[in-house]
Amino acid sequence: MGKKKGASKADAADDFLQTLEDFTSKENWDKFFTLRGSDDSFEWYAEWPQLRDSLLPLLQDSSSSSGSLQILVPGCGNSRLSEHLYDAGLRDVTNVDFSKVVISDMLRRNIRSRPEMRWRVMDITKMQLGDECFDTVLDKGALDALMEPEVGTKLGSQYLSEAKRVLKPGGKFICLTLAESHVLALLFSSFRFGWKMTVHSISQKRSSLKTFMVVAEKEKSIVLHEITSSFDLLSLGRNDAQGSGMCEALESENQIRRDCNNGSDVLYSHEDLKLGVKGDLAELTGGRRVKFSLGSNFSYRAVLLDAQKQTEPFVYHCGVFLVPKTRAHEWLFCSEEGQWQVVESSRAARLIMVYLDSSHNGVSMEDIQNDLSPMVTQLAPRNDDEAARIPYMMASDGIKKRTTVHEVTSSLTGEVVVEDVVYESTPSNTGGLSPSADLAFRRLVFKRTEYLIQSEALLVEDGEVVDQSQTEKTKNASQSKRKGNKKRNQETSGPIMKVSHDYLASSYHAGIISGFTLVSSYLKKAESSGNMVKTVIIGLGAGLLPMFLHGCLPFFSIEAVELDPVMLSVGKDYFCFTQTDRLKVHIADGIKYIRDITNSESSSEKTSDAVSKTESASSNNAEGSTCPDILIIDVDSADSSGGLTCPASEFIEETFLLSVKRALPQHGLFVVNLVSRSQSVKDMVVSRMKKVFDHLFSLQLEEEDDVNVVLFGLCSESVIGECDIPESAVILEELLKCQRSETKQSIIDSTNKLKCWK
């Protein structure tokens, strides 16, 4: 890093930097620079001796009509980079940073020795600079600092838009970065059409981390080039995870660019469309369909569709159709054929379908419309009627009828709601039930994450006759349940309904069970020999997954661990959850529960070797051994601000994962239901699990828009490969005793999505 003068003050600043949680906070950086002082520089990555030979030729090759190369250094901090450039003869350097403290310090430090250099206090995401006024924008760590996982890509996108705006044609954006996957994803996708991009590797003598230099040159054409590199990709990828990540990102991005040049259906950006990569947007082109992303205060996925000519005149020259998250994956909105049906019914010459997601929760429709309006206006076709309005239409949330059955507040979980809903569109996998009937579903919702349905069950008619006298004798815990049912019955004048435990309404439950394919040979052996397979589920929810496993896998001994006793009550009273000799619930901390198992197994190992442990675990887990064969983590996070919705962060810490591996036998299976919108968070979890487990598989739920993925960790060094999955799935299919054939089929179909990570 930089040279230190006044060690104690610099040490204090460095200590503060280690605890700095938000790299996008101006107040935090003001404090850091105040502690560090004006004479002590701080270098993010490579220092001048490592940068000089790679950087100066790039700058000297740049041409400027004014004769003097105009250089902008955004987020300059107190790095000496600008000073080195100045001393190398590049005098026309403008430095900007949003910290008034550091700009004042740097101005005082350089005003006499480097009088031509400029220093300005400015937010790099909203720069008060003219268009096309710089030959080079030189970024040393600014983009990396803006790309906090909790913030997402919003600030990074705004900054890159500004950097592109202030560059002259032929100018270069030079970005020095540590090349984290989420940073590269934004960086590469932001410089596609009209940019020529090259990646260089900067040697580091005193750091284990590589610095990469990404150079994007602004062209006048809108040709899409593949990204080139000045290093050997194969040798770089073999050395370390950082190099491997860069290689994967380059190959992935270049594949997108090849697909795009070949005419494949890819996701464009709003800026790509404004450049004209899909033709002149001012003109209507019948049948044009373009998927793209756009964003201002919020980010959106969208599809632009130009209607074919119709016999009747269009009512609107352009319209916007908002699709809520709960309906985004319905055929009508996600398939091309369905989208054209929406266009036809909208009677708009051009329809822009905008897909909302969980990032828009709590945002009013008025705010979303105000955010979209300027961008939509840019995308509207030319129209002689300047006063013509652009209407906003919206699909409903897909719920035809909603009845609140029960509400309770838990000191641990917060507000909990049980509701019965009837969907406008009936699910296709409900089997023998009449498709004409309004099927009802019971849902468990936590107010802290309303968009995430915790549990969902199909309601069916209860064929049993209710004994009123017996009901009166058991009115304690079930009283509220009966009141809820009576209210529903009075409203519908229909039969008494009950939860069906042989139907999986949640697709991720089918995904979890499909992963049992990975240990199906062991399961078959246990079932054939009359042994029980011990399964531990951390997180009870409404108890639907344990109840389903209890019914369809009769040789499973199931223990559910739930921290909140309210959940057990809700499960019993409203979701027909019951405990048996094969299904028990422990009200306990899941982390402590697993560590207790680990400690118990460690104690037993003192009197038996590793082989005897495996044999013990394979014998009969229902009788004595605490070691589970299958461990499932299915809990939500009380705080999703870090980008992780499920599970709670404690369950993916490396120390806990190591405890899990010690608790499982060699044939054991570890399952995690992972929900996150942050790719960097998902990459981090996968990286940790790959480090701990001998083999790692994943199952991506397509209908969850890349948010929900189920991970499977295995302890054994010998495991089936992807090519063996179909044969192993046949074994699992034979073991499943599902009453509904379509439920079993959905589980087996999910096995086709299993992917091997390690």
Side-chain angles (χ1 to χ4, degrees):
M1 291 301 177
K3 299 176 181 178
K4 295 189 177 182
K5 300 178 181 179
S8 61
K9 196 170 186 181
D11 288 345
D14 287 343
D15 289 342
F16 175 73
L17 184 65
Q18 296 298 321
T19 61
L20 187 61
E21 294 182 355
D22 184 1
F23 283 87
T24 67
S25 167
K26 183 177 78 68
E27 291 74 19
N28 286 348
W29 283 114
D30 281 344
K31 182 177 180 181
F32 169 74
F33 290 124
T34 299
L35 286 170
R36 195 165 188 97
S38 60
D39 294 328
D40 187 34
S41 65
F42 176 74
E43 303 296 345
W44 267 108
Y45 310 139
E47 298 191 51
W48 182 247
Q50 289 80 49
L51 288 174
R52 178 177 51 216
D53 293 341
S54 300
L55 184 58
L56 285 181
L58 287 171
L59 299 175
Q60 291 163 353
D61 287 346
S62 300
S63 60
S64 176
S65 57
S66 64
S68 176
L69 195 68
Q70 306 281 322
I71 300 174
L72 174 68
V73 182
C76 61
N78 64 0
S79 167
R80 293 195 180 275
L81 177 60
S82 300
E83 298 167 349
H84 289 303
L85 294 175
Y86 189 96
D87 296 343
L90 300 164
R91 303 296 179 89
D92 213 334
V93 181
T94 299
N95 303 275
V96 300
D97 200 291
F98 66 178
S99 171
K100 185 177 181 180
V101 172
V102 77
I103 291 296
S104 298
D105 287 345
M106 294 300 282
L107 182 61
R108 283 193 297 269
R109 192 165 92 185
N110 289 282
I111 193 168
R112 293 182 182 276
S113 57
R114 301 175 182 87
E116 298 173 54
M117 194 146 55
R118 290 177 292 278
W119 304 90
R120 298 184 63 178
V121 178
M122 195 177 295
D123 182 347
I124 63 174
T125 67
K126 303 172 185 176
M127 291 189 278
Q128 292 82 49
L129 299 169
D131 295 348
E132 301 184 352
C133 55
F134 289 95
D135 300 288
T136 301
V137 175
L138 179 54
D139 174 330
K140 189 181 181 192
L143 178 62
D144 286 7
L146 289 175
M147 292 289 287
E148 288 285 319
E150 295 82 0
V151 177
T153 61
K154 177 182 176 181
L155 294 178
S157 297
Q158 291 175 345
Y159 160 56
L160 292 181
S161 294
E162 285 290 273
K164 292 191 288 186
R165 179 182 65 81
V166 302
L167 268 176
K168 300 175 183 178
K172 295 173 181 173
F173 176 72
I174 302 175
C175 181
L176 295 162
T177 173
L178 289 180
E180 293 182 274
S181 60
H182 62 295
V183 175
L184 292 180
L186 176 65
L187 184 58
F188 289 166
S189 63
S190 298
F191 291 89
R192 284 178 178 162
F193 296 93
W195 296 87
K196 189 175 182 179
M197 184 173 279
T198 305
V199 181
H200 308 269
S201 177
I202 306 298
S203 60
Q204 295 278 94
K205 293 182 179 180
R206 295 188 295 170
S207 173
S208 60
L209 291 176
K210 283 185 174 66
T211 298
F212 292 93
M213 182 165 64
V214 181
V215 182
E217 184 174 350
K218 191 174 187 179
E219 298 185 321
K220 293 183 179 179
S221 68
I222 56 172
V223 175
L224 181 59
H225 303 280
E226 288 192 31
I227 303 173
T228 59
S229 60
S230 63
F231 46 80
D232 180 59
L233 291 177
L234 292 177
S235 61
L236 180 73
R238 284 196 298 263
N239 292 336
D240 53 54
Q242 192 185 14
S244 176
M246 170 58 82
C247 292
E248 290 177 8
L250 277 171
E251 178 54 37
S252 175
E253 175 62 22
N254 279 333
Q255 185 59 54
I256 291 173
R257 294 178 181 226
R258 288 190 290 269
D259 290 343
C260 191
N261 284 329
N262 292 333
S264 300
D265 192 14
V266 298
L267 186 69
Y268 296 89
S269 71
H270 183 201
E271 292 185 354
D272 293 339
L273 298 188
K274 289 193 293 182
L275 285 172
V277 298
K278 298 301 289 182
D280 185 1
L281 292 183
E283 302 296 331
L284 286 166
T285 303
R288 175 164 50 187
R289 175 180 176 272
V290 184
K291 296 191 295 184
F292 66 104
S293 61
L294 70 166
S296 179
N297 292 322
F298 308 102
S299 297
Y300 311 88
R301 288 187 306 109
V303 180
L304 181 148
L305 302 115
D306 282 355
Q308 302 283 3
K309 290 184 178 180
Q310 299 182 9
T311 54
E312 297 182 8
F314 294 109
V315 176
Y316 309 107
H317 79 292
C318 184
V320 179
F321 194 94
L322 302 176
V323 182
K325 178 182 182 296
T326 53
R327 302 198 65 188
H329 299 286
E330 291 182 20
W331 175 87
L332 189 63
F333 305 116
C334 71
S335 70
E336 184 173 351
E337 185 180 354
Q339 291 167 358
W340 286 120
Q341 288 189 16
V342 177
V343 173
E344 185 176 356
S345 63
S346 72
R347 302 188 67 184
R350 172 172 294 166
L351 188 67
I352 301 171
M353 297 183 69
V354 179
Y355 296 83
L356 306 182
D357 56 39
S358 56
S359 67
H360 306 116
N361 287 339
V363 183
S364 69
M365 285 299 106
E366 181 180 2
D367 287 341
I368 286 177
Q369 290 186 29
N370 290 338
D371 189 45
L372 285 170
S373 288
M375 296 180 285
V376 167
T377 301
Q378 296 172 354
L379 295 169
R382 186 181 294 111
N383 186 41
D384 295 334
D385 183 1
E386 295 182 0
R389 70 184 185 92
I390 299 177
Y392 281 77
M393 299 162 267
M394 185 172 182
S396 70
D397 61 4
I399 295 178
K400 182 178 181 180
K401 181 180 180 182
R402 176 187 277 111
T403 304
T404 299
V405 176
H406 181 63
E407 291 181 283
V408 64
T409 299
S410 163
S411 60
L412 294 174
T413 308
E415 294 181 72
V416 177
V417 177
V418 178
E419 60 183 15
D420 289 350
V421 300
V422 175
Y423 291 109
E424 293 178 349
S425 177
T426 302
S428 59
N429 61 339
T430 49
L433 298 176
S434 171
S436 61
D438 281 342
L439 299 180
F441 293 83
R442 179 155 293 178
R443 311 197 309 185
L444 175 67
V445 180
F446 295 168
K447 285 288 187 178
R448 67 190 185 196
T449 50
E450 272 190 279
Y451 70 92
L452 186 69
I453 306 303
Q454 300 293 330
S455 299
E456 183 171 27
L458 176 69
L459 291 174
V460 295
E461 292 184 16
D462 188 350
E464 297 177 358
V465 178
V466 178
D467 185 339
Q468 294 296 332
S469 62
Q470 182 65 25
T471 301
E472 289 299 318
K473 294 178 182 178
T474 58
K475 68 190 293 186
N476 44 30
S478 300
Q479 186 175 16
S480 57
K481 173 188 174 184
R482 291 200 312 278
K483 287 181 178 178
N485 280 336
K486 284 182 179 179
K487 179 179 180 181
R488 174 178 171 77
N489 293 338
Q490 289 168 0
E491 289 176 353
T492 62
S493 300
I496 295 175
M497 307 296 285
K498 70 174 183 179
V499 166
S500 170
H501 287 130
D502 55 9
Y503 172 79
L504 292 175
S506 298
S507 58
Y508 83 91
H509 280 166
I512 287 174
I513 300 169
S514 72
F516 294 177
T517 295
L518 302 172
V519 291
S520 61
S521 295
Y522 169 76
L523 298 182
K524 178 64 176 177
K525 180 180 178 182
E527 191 256 1
S528 300
S529 58
N531 293 330
M532 303 298 288
V533 173
K534 182 171 180 179
T535 302
V536 173
I537 303 174
I538 308 296
L540 177 67
L544 299 178
L545 178 59
M547 289 294 289
F548 182 86
L549 294 178
H550 180 269
C552 74
L553 291 166
F555 60 98
F556 270 37
S557 172
I558 305 160
E559 294 184 14
V561 183
E562 173 58 52
L563 183 63
D564 191 348
V566 171
M567 291 300 99
L568 179 57
S569 298
V570 168
K572 288 179 177 179
D573 293 348
Y574 298 96
F575 291 87
C576 303
F577 177 79
T578 55
Q579 298 189 63
T580 71
D581 58 342
R582 289 195 299 110
L583 174 53
K584 303 293 184 184
V585 176
H586 304 276
I587 302 300
D589 183 318
I591 299 286
K592 184 177 184 301
Y593 184 87
I594 296 303
R595 285 179 177 156
D596 286 347
I597 291 177
T598 303
N599 294 335
S600 174
E601 291 301 311
S602 298
S603 298
S604 66
E605 285 178 3
K606 293 180 180 179
T607 57
S608 62
D609 58 22
V611 175
S612 65
K613 174 191 172 183
T614 304
E615 292 173 348
S616 174
S618 303
S619 60
N620 191 334
N621 273 326
E623 297 178 5
S625 174
T626 60
C627 180
D629 298 294
I630 299 174
L631 174 60
I632 301 170
I633 306 296
D634 186 21
V635 295
D636 83 321
S637 174
D639 180 14
S640 59
S641 61
L644 189 63
T645 304
C646 293
S649 59
E650 295 87 348
F651 288 94
I652 46 90
E653 293 291 341
E654 188 172 333
T655 52
F656 177 74
L657 296 177
L658 288 169
S659 295
V660 168
K661 187 175 183 182
R662 287 194 294 269
L664 290 172
Q666 283 294 301
H667 60 260
L669 176 66
F670 178 55
V671 187
V672 177
N673 178 37
L674 176 64
V675 182
S676 175
R677 299 202 72 84
S678 169
Q679 187 59 48
S680 61
V681 169
K682 287 189 280 191
D683 289 345
M684 175 268 293
V685 176
V686 168
S687 176
R688 288 181 183 176
M689 289 190 64
K690 285 171 71 175
K691 183 177 179 181
V692 171
F693 292 93
D694 295 282
H695 296 279
L696 182 67
F697 285 76
S698 70
L699 188 147
Q700 178 70 61
L701 300 178
E702 295 175 358
E703 62 271 35
E704 294 297 334
D705 188 26
D706 297 333
V707 174
N708 205 158
V709 60
V710 184
L711 298 175
F712 305 91
L714 294 106
C715 303
S716 174
E717 294 182 0
S718 60
V719 72
I720 66 171
E722 286 187 16
C723 60
D724 302 314
I725 287 177
E727 183 178 347
S728 299
V730 172
I731 299 175
L732 178 63
E733 185 174 11
E734 293 173 351
L735 294 173
L736 290 169
K737 310 302 180 186
C738 302
Q739 295 184 35
R740 298 177 184 272
S741 59
E742 70 282 353
T743 300
K744 178 188 290 189
Q745 191 59 50
S746 70
I747 294 171
I748 301 306
D749 288 346
S750 294
T751 63
N752 298 323
K753 302 175 186 177
L754 287 168
K755 174 185 176 183
C756 182
W757 282 90
K758 177 186 176 184

